[in-house]
Amino acid sequence: MAEKVLKIGLSGNPNCGKSSLFNQLTGLNQRITNIPGTTIERKVGTLKHQGETAKIIDTPGTYSIDPKSTDEQVALEIYADNHELQPDVILYVADASNFKRNLFFFSQLSELNIPIILVLNMTDIAEYKGINIDMDRLSKELGINVVKINARTGKGVNELKELLFKPNFKCHFSFSSSSDIESISDRYNQIEKLVQKTVSQASKNELITDKIDKWVTHRIWGYFIFVAVLLVIFQSVFKLAEWPMDWIEVQFENLANFLGRVMADGWLKQLTIKGVLAGLAGVVVFVPQIVILFIFMTLLEDTGYMARVSFIMDRLLRNVGLNGKSVVPLLSGAACAIPAIMATRNIENAKDRIITILVTPLMSCSARLPVYTLLIAMAIPDETFLGFFNLQGLVLLFMYLLGTVASLVSALVFKWFIKLKQKNYFILELPVYHTPRWKNIWMTCWQKSTSFVLEAGKVIFIVSVLLWYLASHGPNNYKLSNAEPVKIENSYAGKFGKTIEPVIKPLGFDWKIGISLITSFAAREVFVGTMSTIYSVDDEEDFVNIRKKMKAEINPDTGEPKYSLAVVMSLMIFYAFAMQCISTLAVVKKETGTWKWPMIQLAYMSALAYLASLITYNILA
Amino acid sequence: MNLTDLNIGQKAIILHITNGDVKNKLMEMGCIPGQEIELKLKAPFGDPLAFDVSGYCLSMRKSEASSIEIKLK
């Protein structure tokens, strides 16, 4: 007996608390699915209640049925006729403290001929603002069920669950009759009539939000606060992550040792330990940093602060051809460009959006960290500068600033080159500040982190296996046994490195670095694993040993240490600018719908990396 | 007189929005003729601006605000 699964479409404006409700209703039973052949992702969850099942389809917050951004198009897709996910019931979540505007989209959806339930969220804020809604009257006027909830605490959610499975009604209140410009006014006039009958406004208290905003958007304090927030994030990412990262390294070491003892000698053992395990360790060790970064990003977004950042940064960003709304993707790019690029969906202007997508990967992402960490340790002394600034920390900060400046300058250049004339707006809601909704934050963070690890993991797994094979096999039956640098030269990997050596010699690189550049093309963090394979260190995660071997390497031409300051800076700057992430290119293709943009990205970033590296090496050497 | 002529804390009534790219979007967001609107905040450099309208806070660029004709309340 086939169970009829009820399809529930969750819709509402941005900032209405929809995702909190989604989490309340579905708990951990949610998946993000990809519609094959499109760039659309959907969040679908399952709700089981007293023997019945419902599928809840979450959609991005939207202001209107006339979509102006990609986000909005996605939200409305499921309402198309004959769509497989077309809902049986619409669950419309409205922010009660912002009732009139929230009713606009509601009014449009109510005309779709689908049963609809109106959910009033944030009624506590509404009450604070002196707004009182007569639910019974509202329910009568609209002819549908109206429910009050607090999505954050879960109050009212059980009653809502009951209602979902009962028969529901189509709205019989008439909001308008036509669909042209005039009707927006009409619609609001009808909404006004409805509001007059059902909502009473007592005296308003001054909101804490307004008090905070005076500081946050202040000419001087606003920017101070923003920089302070960034500093806190930057420091936390590095300090707080240290302990978990060390712990993860130890676990991988133990696993490697264990497998070393337990597995029979042979190619499988080599492949597993030096290929796969080494490669995976490279990405998993950075998960703590990524998680902390994602937590901060989500926190800033959730509390409403991000909107203010866009507000104070718009005027500045406009000068380089970006939009205030580009702030979120750019900042997220410091964690990982992939979710950052997906976050550009709310930028309505196509040109702004493309430029943001093109330059975001220049922001120093977490994958560059292992590279910077290793190289800085090699050539920058662990000393203090001016008493308490750690020299190594300063150089790291410099690399981050370099990425940021590069992205802004590149945006400016693109502004002049790209010809796309389209509607350009900033119009942005500044929501009331909320204390963080931790459940949501953990959930979002978990989803983003696991998807990052899985995606990166797939790529790295393949690359590690390939690299291991290419480094331990070569023409003429060459086999890697007691590997020494000289022997790697004869493997396939070594041959590739030698082939590109003439091209990279002006940058100060040799064939060994050449091999790493090739493998890093897939994913930057592969660099460390590759270098350790090349220098055949027994313990892959022992940075100290890799460093020792690399430090001891002498340049045959000069008799000086190979990894001098010049080479190290040149290499770091190469990594700062080069496009070395297949996953990013894949996401850009998905988000823009064409190979044109990822190819342009690959071309300009490679050129930038080569030139910058060339200049750096020649200045310092 | 348009929205950019307001001072912080001043209230006005929207008369109409000049035709253009942003008209639809502004109206959907609650900027309707007859609606009360108040200037709440100015970003550094005086652009963008943030207004209280239709019960919430909406920010927009000066260029967008200039398309909204108003009369003082």
Side-chain angles (χ1 to χ4, degrees):
Chain A
M1 178 174 69
E3 214 183 270
K4 211 273 179 173
V5 173
L6 193 64
K7 283 178 285 186
I8 299 176
L10 196 56
S11 286
N13 284 174
N15 308 309
C16 69
K18 200 165 41 68
S19 37
S20 289
L21 179 59
F22 183 75
N23 289 335
Q24 289 277 0
L25 290 173
T26 60
L28 287 171
N29 293 324
Q30 38 174 286
R31 313 183 335 267
I32 300 181
T33 54
N34 217 296
I35 315 286
T38 70
T39 64
I40 298 170
E41 272 173 10
R42 196 134 280 137
K43 217 160 143 194
V44 179
T46 320
L47 166 65
K48 286 203 197 320
H49 184 76
Q50 294 176 349
E52 302 196 72
T53 312
K55 205 164 20 172
I56 308 196
I57 305 141
D58 192 14
T59 57
T62 316
Y63 290 111
S64 156
I65 217 162
D66 174 21
K68 291 171 194 61
S69 65
T70 323
D71 247 359
E72 299 188 328
Q73 280 164 11
V74 170
L76 296 162
E77 234 240 348
I78 59 169
Y79 293 112
D81 285 319
N82 301 321
H83 194 282
E84 52 148 350
L85 283 177
Q86 202 194 46
D88 303 308
V89 178
I90 302 176
L91 201 54
Y92 187 85
V93 182
D95 173 0
S97 70
N98 184 352
F99 201 41
K100 261 193 277 198
R101 200 212 65 219
N102 272 255
L103 278 181
F104 183 78
F105 186 39
F106 172 83
S107 72
Q108 294 173 323
L109 287 183
S110 72
E111 291 168 358
L112 284 181
N113 228 6
I114 302 176
I116 185 166
I117 300 176
L118 178 59
V119 178
L120 298 179
N121 193 17
M122 302 176 178
T123 45
D124 46 347
I125 301 178
E127 273 163 33
Y128 188 80
K129 271 179 154 179
I131 298 171
N132 215 300
I133 303 180
D134 181 350
M135 309 231 313
D136 292 327
R137 185 73 195 271
L138 190 57
S139 181
K140 233 200 240 156
E141 290 285 338
L142 295 174
I144 63 172
N145 286 318
V146 175
V147 182
K148 190 156 86 166
I149 64 163
N150 185 323
R152 174 195 295 250
T153 61
K155 193 163 145 201
V157 173
N158 282 326
E159 287 81 356
L160 179 58
K161 285 184 190 172
E162 291 283 332
L163 265 184
L164 286 175
F165 294 98
K166 296 215 174 90
N168 274 290
F169 314 96
K170 300 179 192 171
C171 179
H172 66 40
F173 186 89
S174 158
F175 285 101
S176 97
S177 49
S178 61
S179 56
D180 54 66
I181 299 180
E182 256 48 73
S183 86
I184 299 183
S185 258
D186 276 351
R187 225 172 253 288
Y188 266 107
N189 287 335
Q190 291 297 98
I191 290 173
E192 186 69 48
K193 286 195 190 134
L194 182 65
V195 163
Q196 300 280 13
K197 291 184 202 167
T198 56
V199 179
S200 61
Q201 171 78 60
S203 66
K204 266 166 93 158
N205 294 318
E206 195 203 350
L207 295 171
I208 299 181
T209 296
D210 293 338
K211 294 186 187 144
I212 299 178
D213 272 340
K214 288 203 171 81
W215 289 100
V216 162
T217 61
H218 188 272
R219 245 195 353 254
I220 299 175
W221 291 112
Y223 292 119
F224 258 117
I225 294 174
F226 180 46
V227 170
V229 167
L230 287 179
L231 276 174
V232 167
I233 296 178
F234 192 80
Q235 284 297 298
S236 305
V237 165
F238 293 106
K239 286 287 140 199
L240 290 181
E242 256 173 56
W243 178 87
M245 283 170 81
D246 289 339
W247 183 85
I248 291 178
E249 273 180 19
V250 167
Q251 302 314 305
F252 269 95
E253 264 174 46
N254 293 341
L255 184 56
N257 289 336
F258 172 73
L259 288 177
R261 287 196 308 273
V262 152
M263 285 183 85
D265 282 339
W267 66 267
L268 185 60
K269 180 176 177 178
Q270 291 296 313
L271 170 60
T272 310
I273 300 179
K274 297 204 176 198
V276 175
L277 206 60
L280 284 179
V283 77
V284 175
V285 85
F286 282 92
V287 166
Q289 288 190 318
I290 293 169
V291 167
I292 293 178
L293 254 168
F294 277 141
I295 291 179
F296 274 107
M297 292 299 151
T298 319
L299 190 61
L300 293 183
E301 184 84 57
D302 192 65
T303 49
Y305 180 64
M306 272 302 195
R308 274 75 180 176
V309 174
S310 298
F311 184 67
I312 63 176
M313 294 300 286
D314 182 58
R315 189 69 184 76
L316 295 172
L317 289 177
R318 240 185 288 166
N319 291 336
V320 294
L322 292 171
N323 188 304
K325 293 179 184 175
S326 309
V327 164
V328 174
L330 285 176
L331 284 180
S332 317
C336 179
I338 291 157
I341 289 170
M342 301 202 295
T344 60
R345 284 178 190 166
N346 73 339
I347 300 176
E348 295 99 346
N349 179 283
K351 180 170 166 179
D352 284 353
R353 180 165 181 248
I354 295 281
I355 295 182
T356 308
I357 289 178
L358 284 174
V359 306
T360 294
L362 284 173
M363 297 294 289
S364 284
C365 69
S366 342
R368 289 174 171 94
L369 266 178
V371 180
Y372 292 163
T373 310
L374 175 60
L375 291 175
I376 287 178
M378 293 252 317
I380 311 285
D382 190 4
E383 285 163 11
T384 51
F385 178 69
L386 290 186
F388 59 83
F389 289 114
N390 179 282
L391 204 56
Q392 294 184 332
L394 278 182
V395 174
L396 188 58
L397 182 62
F398 169 74
M399 295 310 295
Y400 271 82
L401 288 177
L402 191 63
T404 311
V405 168
S407 66
L408 296 176
V409 171
S410 304
L412 191 57
V413 171
F414 278 116
K415 179 180 171 186
W416 297 119
F417 278 101
I418 298 185
K419 305 287 168 220
L420 268 180
K421 216 21 190 133
Q422 251 206 36
K423 295 184 199 178
N424 191 331
Y425 19 69
F426 176 71
I427 301 165
L428 178 73
E429 178 183 355
L430 296 184
V432 166
Y433 285 112
H434 286 121
T435 51
R437 292 166 282 199
W438 291 109
K439 226 197 220 169
N440 278 14
I441 294 179
W442 296 135
M443 186 84 71
T444 311
C445 203
W446 173 253
Q447 284 168 349
K448 287 191 176 161
S449 308
T450 45
S451 106
F452 168 84
V453 172
L454 284 175
E455 285 306 309
K458 272 186 238 169
V459 173
I460 287 162
F461 180 86
I462 295 174
V463 172
S464 304
V465 170
L466 266 176
L467 171 65
W468 167 82
Y469 181 83
L470 291 173
S472 46
H473 296 80
N476 312 318
N477 251 332
Y478 160 88
K479 274 266 164 46
L480 185 77
S481 50
N482 231 341
E484 275 159 41
V486 149
K487 293 220 180 129
I488 274 239
E489 216 166 323
N490 298 323
S491 69
Y492 286 119
K495 297 272 180 218
F496 284 143
K498 285 267 170 197
T499 316
I500 68 167
E501 197 174 40
V503 176
I504 58 178
K505 204 135 193 209
L507 310 180
F509 305 159
D510 64 359
W511 61 272
K512 288 181 193 153
I513 297 179
I515 298 177
S516 297
L517 292 184
I518 294 175
T519 57
S520 300
F521 171 70
R524 296 171 179 101
E525 54 271 48
V526 170
F527 174 77
V528 178
T530 307
M531 291 308 264
S532 77
T533 303
I534 292 173
Y535 285 93
S536 16
V537 184
D538 279 313
D539 189 351
E540 304 299 17
E541 283 317 300
D542 188 348
F543 274 17
V544 176
N545 260 344
I546 299 176
R547 233 186 295 157
K548 269 201 204 133
K549 287 223 171 183
M550 283 168 77
K551 258 189 170 157
E553 174 101 344
I554 301 287
N555 184 331
D557 295 334
T558 68
E560 298 281 306
K562 173 77 200 151
Y563 290 97
S564 59
L565 181 71
V567 171
V568 160
M569 286 311 294
S570 167
L571 193 50
M572 283 208 293
I573 285 180
F574 190 90
Y575 271 80
F577 298 142
M579 170 44 89
Q580 293 161 305
C581 187
I582 289 190
S583 311
T584 301
L585 289 175
V587 169
V588 173
K589 192 251 168 193
K590 245 174 62 162
E591 294 289 317
T592 58
T594 164
W595 279 111
K596 171 176 162 196
W597 296 113
M599 288 301 107
I600 290 179
Q601 197 168 40
L602 181 60
Y604 98 84
M605 286 179 79
S606 307
L608 186 59
Y610 192 86
L611 280 170
S613 197
L614 187 64
I615 295 174
T616 309
Y617 182 68
N618 284 301
I619 292 181
L620 291 177
Chain B
M1 185 179 190
N2 69 56
L3 266 190
T4 61
D5 299 320
L6 281 182
N7 294 319
I8 294 192
Q10 264 191 318
K11 297 191 189 171
I13 304 279
I14 297 179
L15 294 175
H16 75 270
I17 306 182
T18 48
N19 277 321
D21 287 339
V22 291
K23 181 170 177 175
N24 262 8
K25 176 82 182 175
L26 284 172
M27 288 184 76
E28 281 171 0
M29 295 297 275
C31 299
I32 302 288
Q35 193 64 224
E36 181 178 303
I37 189 164
E38 174 188 342
L39 177 60
K40 291 300 288 277
L41 295 166
K42 287 191 192 185
F45 308 110
D47 191 3
L49 305 165
F51 301 94
D52 253 358
V53 65
S54 279
Y56 75 105
C57 188
L58 178 65
S59 69
M60 63 184 84
R61 292 176 176 161
K62 249 184 165 167
S63 55
E64 291 151 355
S66 64
S67 68
I68 303 181
E69 293 291 315
I70 55 165
K71 71 167 192 251
L72 283 177
K73 200 172 176 205

